[in-house]
Amino acid sequence: MDINPRNWKWARKSDILLILSLFLLQNHLKVFVILVEANSSVHIVYLGQKKYEDPATTKRFHHEMLSNLLGSKEAAKSSILYSYRHGFSGFAARLTESQAEAIADFPGVVQVIPNRIHKLHTTRSWDFIGINRHSSKNLLTKSNMGKGIIIGVIDSGVWPESESFNDEGMAPIPSRWKGICQQGQLFNSTNCNKKLIGARWFIKGLRDQLKMPINESDMEYLSPRDAGGHGTHTASTATGYYVNKANYGGLATGLARGGAPLAHLAIYKACWQIGFGGCTDADVLKAIDKSIHDGVDILSLSLGDGIPLYSYVDHRDSVAIGSFHAVIKGITVVCSAGNDGPISQTIANTAPWVITIAATTIDRAFLTAITLGNNHTLWGQSMYTGKHNHGFTGLTYSERIAVDPNDDSAKDCQPGSLNATMAAGKIVLCFSQSPQPAIASASDSVLEAGGVGVIFAQLRDDGIQSCDLIPCIKVDYEVGTQILSYIRKARSPTAKLSFPRTVIGKWSSPRVASFSSRGPSSMSPAVLKPDIAAPGVDILAAVPPSYGSGFALKSGTSMACPHVSGIVALIKSAHPNWSPAAIRSALVTTASQVGTDGSGIAQDDPNHKAADPFDVGGGNVNPNKAVDPGLIYNISIGDYVEFLCSMGYSGASITTLTKATIDCTKKGHFGLNLNLPSITIPNLRKTLTITRTVTNVGPVTSAYKVVVQAPHGITMTVTPQTLSFNVTTQILSFKVTFFSTSKLNGDYKFGSLTWKDGKHRVRIPIAVRAINFESFADL
């Protein structure tokens, strides 16, 4: 033992220095930890589908992955906030930017997403048209969310287990309901509840058409169960119950619901994915027949014929025939306009007793950044949420890697057109050569050739198709040309594709979807079609679980139709005694003609031309105004019969519709005088007078003054100029005289006629085509 006092002195000094050093080191480490924590933020590490069914195993897997990143189990435990291990696999953890970048390269990691603060909002389309859950003044509240109303959907069936069809908060099934829950493959009575109160399926017509036995398969269910998703999507759009945090691969996240969340749903499966697929007239007619028997209030049909159309008394037009019988029973029938636009005269479902719906956009986009090798960033849209290389990758133009340089099919990346050796590992730029762009097909072609991504330039700007295996980004021709210019200038062109993100409220909307079929009607030009437009582009709604999250984004007038079906349920709940014609009138006369930027609704084409009544009918649906229209244009069944007589159909043929003996006595211009909430004159020679009748559904005592916007080259005179209603007078007629000042045959010109009382604005669209000769004898 050292007993030298001097040595003791130096030992004490050494101890003090050591203790001081340890103290400083400890504080330095604390400061370092604080700095690290200050530079950390919560990131969501998304791993996609679960690798393990056992939640505990999944949780351990998450901790091991984080431990490997951070260096210890203790650090991982301190970092992790949540382990997602039931519906999907992933976790939320505090990470620095460098740690987030590092873990993004780990095997199995699909995406690393910075955590953000969100406000609760719907999946957009209902908020966009003014039906907000939290407002006490809108139609959703006034109608008690459609409580007690029954919507029948004729489509491809339903996935009953979807959260959209749970019956939480639903009223008991109405005692008037006569429907059943028909059994079949993977479907029985337990699949129905107070929300989904009935389900039937109809296949005899298809079985006969195919001339072959139809057996149970994975591609289709011989029952009301939906295999393809179309029926589930439309049904949940019309009347789905509230589902929190609905999304498609993380896109369009929000509160999903249908238009009438408390309305009951009845499913009629008449459309199939067997053979060439589709819905036969026999099956559709039987579905309509059963729906009338069962007691539905509304029928929603997102189906129809193409051009040429059959006559309204021809049983091959099953929708026109069946819907006529439904309307006789007071059932409102809502139909899609078709997806053959933007060509004129392509509209389907043109019978005057159905409500025909065009499709428009909403103010939501899924922006995706394309960063070129010169650091110039361009923007497109995409729904791809899978895993791909985050870094810069080789970029080429499809024509440069064509199998046959003389074959134009490589331009839009058609199957088999690309050289696999030259496409391997590259992002491929393709240019659509067709009016019907096929980005999904191009994606398959590029993938088959070994490519890792697609940039698809196309003319049309509405609707996005999903690509499941490689990123595909839609751009317009301008952006596509800029990318091509870069490719041609660069020695080794590269690009980096980002993940899409949901952006709301940055574009003027609505715009008419280019695919939406246009009027005028080729069957009855004097009947304005479509009646109205509604959201139908990139609509999020429920689908079978084979889609992944149970929700998907779809586009089409099929998606627009159930929006209006849901709104009709709300109106019917608020006004149970209104006729189908009265409800249609309320929708048309209160529709909006103005976009979010204050300008008129435009078509969704590169020139954004102004929309006209053959694009949108009365305009874009405005539910909150439709519940209080002020005046309505009503139509009786007898009026429809006289309309059919005026079209030249025989009394015998119309008798088959009405089951009453019809004697068609010609009445001059009755087709033009059918009391529609619109006026369309296909052939105006000099002058013509039209009559309309309105019923007051507003304050008993009220006075309306007329405001006219005459079509170009046409003068309009309205008599009387004022309509005065009182206790004894609630129905009044007026006459509109049209006079053509044109000396040439021309195209349709458009205008409007509006009655105003200071509160209500009751507007009907007008379309007139002036002619100066009808035959060579007039020349």
Side-chain angles (χ1 to χ4, degrees):
M1 181 178 180
D2 189 355
I3 58 173
N4 189 327
R6 186 176 177 183
N7 291 339
W8 289 357
K9 180 178 178 182
W10 283 108
R12 284 196 299 271
K13 285 184 179 180
S14 298
D15 289 343
I16 291 169
L17 286 172
L18 177 62
I19 292 168
L20 182 61
S21 298
L22 289 171
F23 176 78
L24 290 172
L25 177 61
Q26 184 181 26
N27 278 275
H28 173 74
L29 289 172
K30 285 182 179 179
V31 170
F32 177 74
V33 169
I34 291 170
L35 287 172
V36 168
E37 291 183 350
N39 291 324
S40 300
S41 59
V42 175
H43 287 71
I44 299 165
V45 181
Y46 175 60
L47 305 173
Q49 291 289 342
K50 292 183 293 182
K51 186 176 181 179
Y52 310 101
E53 286 301 318
D54 177 37
T57 303
T58 302
K59 185 177 180 179
R60 282 197 298 272
F61 174 68
H62 295 162
H63 277 267
E64 287 173 8
M65 179 179 285
L66 198 54
S67 296
N68 290 335
L69 174 74
L70 301 179
S72 71
K73 292 181 179 179
E74 291 73 18
K77 185 177 180 180
S78 174
S79 173
I80 198 164
L81 274 72
Y82 298 111
S83 175
Y84 307 120
R85 55 192 189 275
H86 300 291
F88 61 93
S89 178
F91 54 90
R94 295 187 187 91
L95 302 172
T96 64
E97 286 298 320
S98 60
Q99 290 167 344
E101 291 174 3
I103 203 168
D105 294 326
F106 276 36
V109 174
V110 175
Q111 190 174 3
V112 179
I113 311 163
N115 192 39
R116 293 180 297 165
I117 298 174
H118 296 271
K119 292 182 180 179
L120 279 177
H121 53 78
T122 70
T123 55
R124 194 53 191 167
S125 61
W126 292 111
D127 271 1
F128 180 71
I129 57 176
I131 300 292
N132 189 303
R133 181 188 186 189
H134 301 291
S135 172
S136 61
K137 298 180 180 180
N138 67 28
L139 177 56
L140 193 66
T141 305
K142 292 177 181 177
S143 65
N144 200 11
M145 303 187 196
K147 183 178 180 180
I149 300 299
I150 302 171
I151 301 177
V153 177
I154 299 178
D155 212 299
S156 65
V158 68
W159 195 267
E161 292 85 3
S162 170
E163 290 182 74
S164 293
F165 306 122
N166 84 76
D167 62 356
E168 180 184 349
M170 292 295 301
I173 298 171
S175 58
R176 58 191 168 86
W177 176 244
K178 299 178 183 178
I180 63 169
C181 198
Q182 185 181 358
Q183 293 191 10
Q185 182 185 357
L186 298 179
F187 201 100
N188 58 45
S189 59
T190 64
N191 291 120
C192 291
N193 55 25
K194 289 184 291 183
K195 163 60 78 174
L196 178 60
I197 63 173
R200 298 181 186 268
W201 54 290
F202 309 90
I203 199 171
K204 291 180 180 178
L206 180 66
R207 182 179 282 128
D208 183 73
Q209 194 79 13
L210 295 177
K211 306 297 183 186
M212 59 180 283
I214 298 175
N215 303 311
E216 294 183 355
S217 71
D218 294 333
M219 294 295 294
E220 186 55 278
Y221 301 96
L222 299 184
S223 73
R225 185 172 290 278
D226 183 18
H230 192 275
T232 302
H233 197 281
T234 57
S236 62
T237 300
T239 183
Y241 196 68
Y242 294 99
V243 179
N244 281 308
K245 299 179 182 178
N247 67 87
Y248 175 73
L251 296 175
T253 301
L255 178 70
R257 64 174 174 83
L262 294 186
H264 304 284
L265 174 65
I267 291 295
Y268 300 88
K269 182 177 178 179
C271 302
W272 301 84
Q273 289 195 136
I274 301 171
F276 291 107
C279 337
T280 68
D281 289 318
D283 295 332
V284 170
L285 276 172
K286 189 62 176 176
I288 295 175
D289 183 54
K290 281 294 187 182
S291 71
I292 295 170
H293 166 271
D294 292 346
V296 303
D297 299 299
I298 296 147
L299 268 178
S300 185
L301 294 93
S302 292
L303 54 94
D305 291 322
I307 302 299
L309 302 178
Y310 294 107
S311 78
Y312 300 141
V313 294
D314 190 319
H315 282 69
R316 286 174 294 183
D317 188 346
S318 55
V319 174
I321 297 292
S323 61
F324 185 85
H325 291 289
V327 170
I328 288 175
K329 297 294 185 180
I331 299 168
T332 302
V333 182
V334 186
C335 297
S336 52
N339 298 329
D340 294 322
I343 302 168
S344 66
Q345 299 184 336
T346 53
I347 194 159
N349 297 319
T350 61
W353 46 84
V354 303
I355 307 174
T356 309
I357 314 303
T360 51
T361 65
I362 59 174
D363 61 345
R364 180 176 62 198
F366 305 110
L367 279 190
T368 308
I370 304 167
T371 305
L372 303 178
N374 59 6
N375 285 325
H376 182 48
T377 299
L378 298 166
W379 296 92
Q381 287 201 66
S382 174
M383 293 197 306
Y384 179 80
T385 57
K387 183 179 181 181
H388 69 263
N389 186 354
H390 291 259
F392 282 94
T393 305
L395 172 67
T396 189
Y397 174 41
S398 57
E399 271 199 325
R400 287 187 167 188
I401 58 171
V403 171
D404 181 358
N406 297 316
D407 186 356
D408 283 347
S409 65
K411 282 186 178 179
D412 52 358
C413 300
Q414 293 181 27
S417 65
L418 304 178
N419 183 307
T421 303
M422 301 173 75
K426 288 186 171 65
I427 299 167
V428 181
L429 171 66
C430 316
F431 274 77
S432 171
Q433 303 294 298
S434 166
Q436 301 289 339
I439 188 172
S441 175
S443 172
D444 291 341
S445 299
V446 171
L447 176 64
E448 185 181 353
V452 297
V454 178
I455 301 171
F456 195 79
Q458 63 181 66
L459 174 64
R460 296 185 178 189
D461 193 35
D462 50 21
I464 310 172
Q465 289 181 288
S466 62
C467 305
D468 297 327
L469 299 177
I470 60 172
C472 59
I473 300 176
K474 180 192 75 172
V475 298
D476 61 24
Y477 282 153
E478 181 182 347
V479 171
T481 302
Q482 290 181 51
I483 296 171
L484 181 56
S485 296
Y486 161 72
I487 292 172
R488 287 170 172 166
K489 292 176 182 177
R491 282 187 179 181
S492 300
T494 59
K496 181 172 69 172
L497 307 181
S498 299
F499 284 103
R501 60 191 183 96
T502 307
V503 179
I504 290 173
K506 300 298 183 181
W507 284 268
S508 174
S509 300
R511 299 191 304 272
V512 187
S514 61
F515 59 73
S516 187
S517 291
R518 302 318 207 253
S521 165
S522 60
M523 179 56 62
S524 50
V527 176
L528 179 65
K529 291 291 177 176
D531 291 290
I532 200 166
V537 177
D538 297 331
I539 302 302
L540 185 77
V543 289
S546 57
Y547 281 78
S549 64
F551 285 83
L553 292 155
K554 290 181 177 286
S555 298
T557 55
S558 286
M559 284 64 250
C561 171
H563 274 87
V564 175
S565 301
I567 294 165
V568 169
L570 301 181
I571 296 172
K572 186 75 174 175
S573 183
H575 302 289
N577 297 321
W578 278 13
S579 69
I583 292 173
R584 187 253 304 278
S585 173
L587 291 167
V588 174
T589 60
T590 59
S592 171
Q593 297 81 47
V594 179
T596 52
D597 64 350
S599 62
I601 295 173
Q603 299 182 51
D604 200 8
D605 60 30
N607 298 318
H608 296 298
K609 294 179 180 177
D612 62 48
F614 292 147
D615 301 320
V616 295
N620 211 53
V621 66
N622 190 331
N624 294 319
K625 288 188 176 179
V627 74
D628 181 21
L631 305 175
I632 57 171
Y633 293 76
N634 217 346
I635 303 176
S636 68
I637 300 302
D639 292 336
Y640 289 130
V641 170
E642 290 198 52
F643 163 78
L644 292 173
C645 286
S646 75
M647 288 191 69
Y649 301 138
S650 67
S653 63
I654 300 172
T655 296
T656 63
L657 278 178
T658 62
K659 295 183 180 180
T661 302
I662 302 298
D663 179 20
C664 279
T665 303
K666 280 201 171 184
K667 288 191 175 183
H669 302 303
F670 190 84
L672 296 172
N673 285 318
L674 182 64
N675 201 40
L676 294 164
S678 59
I679 296 174
T680 305
I681 306 174
N683 300 301
L684 176 63
R685 294 195 72 187
K686 296 300 181 185
T687 187
L688 180 67
T689 298
I690 304 292
T691 301
R692 288 290 186 268
T693 300
V694 290
T695 301
N696 181 28
V697 292
V700 173
T701 302
S702 55
Y704 287 80
K705 292 185 178 181
V706 72
V707 176
V708 168
Q709 182 182 351
H712 179 74
I714 307 294
T715 61
M716 288 172 55
T717 304
V718 181
T719 307
Q721 297 266 306
T722 301
L723 298 176
S724 298
F725 298 93
N726 54 45
V727 175
T728 59
T729 304
Q730 291 296 294
I731 301 175
L732 289 171
S733 297
F734 63 91
K735 295 183 182 296
V736 188
T737 299
F738 295 84
F739 179 77
S740 172
T741 60
S742 175
K743 296 180 180 180
L744 300 172
N745 277 18
D747 295 324
Y748 278 97
K749 307 297 181 185
F750 306 100
S752 63
L753 184 155
T754 307
W755 293 102
K756 295 182 177 181
D757 69 344
K759 177 184 178 183
H760 302 96
R761 179 179 175 270
V762 189
R763 179 188 181 275
I764 62 172
I766 291 172
V768 180
R769 181 172 60 187
I771 64 169
N772 278 289
F773 68 91
E774 292 181 341
S775 67
F776 287 113
D778 296 324
L779 294 174

